[in-house]
Structures are given as C-alpha cells and as structure tokens.
C-alpha cells in the first residue's frame, strides 16, 4: 500500500486550540493539504488565529466547510455533536470528516447521525498533547513520532480510512486502527485515570490544613511537581473526557482502588518484599516506554 495517497485539496479545521493550531502548522509544513481553512466558535480565537497565520479563517462554520474534502473537528468532546449538526447540511458529497477527541465511542454516537449520505466519518485520536491550550500553544512538531489511533465504525469506506491514516503519517505520526470501545478502555488506564489522580492529589494537598500553601509551592519537588503539570490541563477538555468515558474510567478506578488498598496493607504490615518487587516492576515499565521512543530520560530533556 502506498504511504501517501494524494494530499487533501481543502482541509478545514474546526476548533483552533492547541490541537487545531498544531494540525494547521504541520499540514502546511508537510504539504498534507493544499489549502487550510480554520474556524473557531470564539471570535477572539479567530482573530488570534489570523494573527498567527493559521490559514484562511472563516467567519461562519458553513463557510468554513464549504468545498472541503477533509474536515477535522478539534473541539472538546462534548462539543462535537453540535458542530456536526451545524456543518452537516454544508458538507460536500465524498468529503471525509474526522476529529481529534480523546474519547471515541461518543464521537461515533454524537457525530454520525448528523452526516449526510456519502460523507465518510473516520474518527482519530492523536495521542500527543501538552498541558497548554489555545492557538498560541500549537506547534508543527506536536505529532511527530506519536501514535494516532483511528476508530472507524465497521463498514467505513476503506479508501477514506487509508487517506486519513496517510494524512497523520504525513504529519509524522505512527497510526493504528482499533475499535472505539477498545480505544476508550486503553486510554482510560493510560491517560484518563492518570489525569484524575493528578487532579485529586493536587486537590488533597490544597485541602491539607497542616501544610500551608507556600510550603506546597516551596517543597514541590519531583513527584508533586509532575502532578501539578498534568493537573494544569484544560478544564473543559478534561470535564468532557470524564463525562464521555464514564464506564471505562469507573472500571479502571475500581481496579486502581483495589491495588491501592493492597499497597496500603503492605505499608501497614511492613511488607518490604511486596513494596520493592512492585517498584522494580514499575521501573521496568518506565524503561520500556523510553525504549519504545515514547519519552526520554529526564536528564536528556531540555529545561
Ligand atoms: P483547546 O486548546 O481548548 O481548543 C479547543 C478550541 O475549540 C477552543 O478554541 C474552543 O473555543 C473551540 N471550540 C469549543 N467549542 C467549539 C465549537 N462548538 N465550535 C468551534 N470551536 C469550538 O483544546 P485542545 O487541547 O486543542 O483539544 C481539542 C480536542 O483534541 C479535544 O477533543 C481533546 O480531547 C483532543 N485532544 C487534546 C489533547 C491535549 O493534550 N490537549 C491531546 C489529544 C487530543 P473556546 O476556548 O472559546 O471554547
């Protein structure tokens, strides 16, 4: 199979935050689309997008998608249904619609009903991001060497799926296709639960009566500091992730709570062997992630 079918003629990106802006930069840098059109619900974001040169910025969602052969929804997961409803009547036959949402079953549920016959839906999730949001946070290399997971429904046009996969590969990503429900379970443990834990631990530290706020800032070495970075992630985006991946997150949270109780017991009973064996296993997992090229050792990172 060829790696790069022909680039898209007219790519429309709806939602010009971190992900949408990064797609705009990367698509133009790699020639993955001839024209890039952008739209955001916020007039202020549209103005900033013009200043940043994120493409031809449309004033209405209908103008944005007119004649587009590829439309990417880069809005919070809870907003995709409304956007799909608004663009549906203006889409061109044969166009491909994709998204970037961190939850995938809800995308099929909320977007598919609004798309006219002959328009293909190929949901995608670039597993790449930062804790920053807004158009100024975007950069062209965000997707390089990162996975992008495609979750088309059964029976989706194979050529449309191949074109979307080729698009992400042109932006530097590695692609994988899987069932939306499986995606949501995998991401519940690898991304959603870690964020929930980060939000909660920062809240717990904030609530501690015996530790002052200045001490939390002053002594936030290593562990806690890393949690605060994750807990600074966009509130609206993460609200929508938990509202839309409820079952998988609750299942993983149940398992996590059981394992935490086992650790609590090991500490209470002074079970050194259990603690050390676990910490050795988890260190191996960290090494595996580095060997897989999905992160680099802290001492090699730029500050
Ligand atoms: P973001 O920086 O907050 O950008 C989202 C943009 O969409 C904002 O400018 C927002 O405007 C706009 N928007 C909201 N509702 C809209 C609507 N109905 N029509 C048009 N524009 C609308 O968020 P992001 O980080 O780019 O995330 C976008 C999507 O990518 C989310 O679905 C998220 O789950 C997914 N994702 C994020 C990451 C990450 O690390 N951030 C990674 C992978 C995937 P307002 O600010 O005015 O509401």
């Amino acid at each position: 199979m060829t790696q790069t079918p022909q680039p898209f003629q007219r790519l429309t990106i709806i939602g010009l935050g971190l992900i949408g802006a990064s797609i705009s930069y990367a698509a133009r840098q790699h020639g993955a689309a001839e024209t890039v059109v952008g739209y955001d619900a916020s007039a202020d974001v549209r103005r900033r997008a013009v200043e940043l040169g994120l493409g031809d910025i449309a004033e209405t969602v209908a103008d944005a998608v007119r004649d587009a052969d590829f439309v990417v929804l880069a809005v919070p997961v809870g907003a995709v249904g409304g956007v799909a409803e608004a663009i549906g009547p203006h889409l061109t036959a044969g166009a491909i619609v994709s998204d970037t949402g961190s939850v995938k079953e809800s995308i099929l549920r909320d977007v598919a009903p609004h798309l006219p016959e002959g328009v293909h839906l190929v949901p995608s999730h670039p597993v790449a991001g930062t804790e920053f949001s807004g158009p100024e946070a975007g950069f062209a290399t965000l997707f390089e060497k990162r996975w992008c997971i495609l979750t088309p429904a059964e029976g989706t046009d194979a050529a449309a799926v191949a074109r979307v996969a080729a698009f992400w590969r042109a932006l530097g990503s590695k692609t994988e296709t899987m069932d939306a429900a499986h995606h949501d379970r995998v991401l519940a443990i690898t991304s959603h639960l870690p964020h929930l834990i980060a939000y909660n631990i920062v809240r717990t530290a904030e609530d501690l009566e015996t530790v002052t706020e200045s001490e939390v800032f002053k002594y936030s070495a290593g562990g806690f500091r890393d949690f605060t970075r994750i807990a600074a992630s966009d509130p609206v985006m993460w609200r929508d992730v938990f509202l839309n991946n409820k079952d998988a997150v609750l299942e993983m949270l149940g398992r996590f709570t059981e394992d935490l109780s086992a650790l609590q017991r090991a500490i209470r009973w002074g079970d050194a062997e259990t603690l050390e064996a676990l910490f050795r296993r988890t260190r191996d997992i960290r090494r595996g992630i580095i060997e897989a090229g999905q992160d680099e050792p802290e001492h090699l990172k730029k500050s």
Side-chain angles (χ1 to χ4, degrees), residues 188-189 193 196-197 247-259:
I189 189 65
L193 190 59
L196 195 69
I197 292 166
D247 293 345
V249 168
L250 289 178
E251 183 200 332
M252 298 306 166
L253 194 57
R255 287 167 177 251
F256 174 82
T257 311
E258 281 174 27
D259 290 340

Side-chain angles (χ1 to χ4, degrees), residues 205-219:
E206 185 199 24
D207 284 351
L208 277 183
E209 283 150 15
T210 50
V211 180
T212 66
E213 196 173 288
S214 67
E215 282 174 311
V216 169
F217 294 142
K218 193 168 159 189
Y219 302 119

Side-chain angles (χ1 to χ4, degrees), residues 14-287:
I14 313 265
L16 298 170
L18 164 70
I19 300 294
S22 298
I23 293 173
S24 172
Y25 289 128
R28 283 175 297 149
Q29 191 177 93
H30 296 285
E34 278 180 25
T35 309
V36 176
V37 177
Y39 174 79
D40 195 284
S42 152
D44 184 47
V45 171
R46 292 200 298 274
R47 185 187 51 75
R48 283 148 59 200
V50 170
E51 279 170 20
L52 290 164
L54 293 182
D56 301 337
I57 306 304
E59 279 301 307
T60 69
V61 81
D63 285 346
V65 300
R66 195 162 291 126
D67 299 328
D69 54 349
F70 189 34
V71 178
V72 178
L73 314 181
V75 299
V77 170
V80 289
V83 174
E85 191 176 4
I87 64 172
H90 308 286
L91 291 168
T92 308
I96 300 174
V97 173
S98 189
D99 76 302
T100 62
S102 309
V103 180
K104 300 268 57 107
E105 267 202 296
S106 67
I107 298 295
L108 290 171
R109 181 195 68 204
D110 295 347
V111 176
H114 300 295
L115 301 187
E117 193 78 14
V119 168
H120 310 288
L121 174 60
V122 183
S124 60
H125 176 201
V127 187
T130 72
E131 67 275 30
F132 301 109
S133 41
E136 290 79 10
F139 55 100
T141 54
L142 177 64
F143 310 109
E144 281 179 12
K145 300 196 183 104
R146 299 286 169 223
W147 284 100
C148 182
I149 304 172
L150 309 187
T151 63
E154 248 181 60
T156 305
D157 181 68
V161 178
R163 284 192 82 187
V164 175
F167 174 83
W168 286 107
R169 281 198 297 270
L171 271 50
S173 294
K174 304 178 280 184
T175 58
E176 181 91 57
T177 300
M178 67 175 74
D179 168 69
H182 184 68
H183 166 280
D184 289 356
R185 276 174 59 82
V186 172
L187 271 291
I189 189 65
T190 59
S191 171
H192 306 168
L193 190 59
H195 275 80
L196 195 69
I197 292 166
Y199 285 123
N200 195 51
I201 200 165
V202 174
R203 186 262 296 271
T204 304
E206 185 199 24
D207 284 351
L208 277 183
E209 283 150 15
T210 50
V211 180
T212 66
E213 196 173 288
S214 67
E215 282 174 311
V216 169
F217 294 142
K218 193 168 159 189
Y219 302 119
S220 67
F224 186 73
R225 200 173 47 204
D226 290 346
F227 281 119
T228 59
R229 184 182 59 74
I230 298 171
S233 300
D234 191 74
V236 173
M237 168 191 157
W238 283 95
R239 176 201 69 193
D240 284 1
V241 166
F242 293 113
L243 292 178
N244 287 282
N245 198 20
K246 186 170 157 182
D247 293 345
V249 168
L250 289 178
E251 183 200 332
M252 298 306 166
L253 194 57
R255 287 167 177 251
F256 174 82
T257 311
E258 281 174 27
D259 290 340
L260 192 63
S261 298
L263 266 181
Q264 196 175 4
R265 188 179 163 81
I267 294 170
R268 185 181 312 286
W269 293 100
D271 183 350
E273 209 178 306
T274 297
L275 293 173
E276 192 179 326
L278 172 67
F279 302 159
R280 284 188 187 284
R281 282 207 319 274
T282 54
R283 188 171 60 180
D284 288 346
I285 289 172
R286 170 70 187 164
R287 286 176 178 162

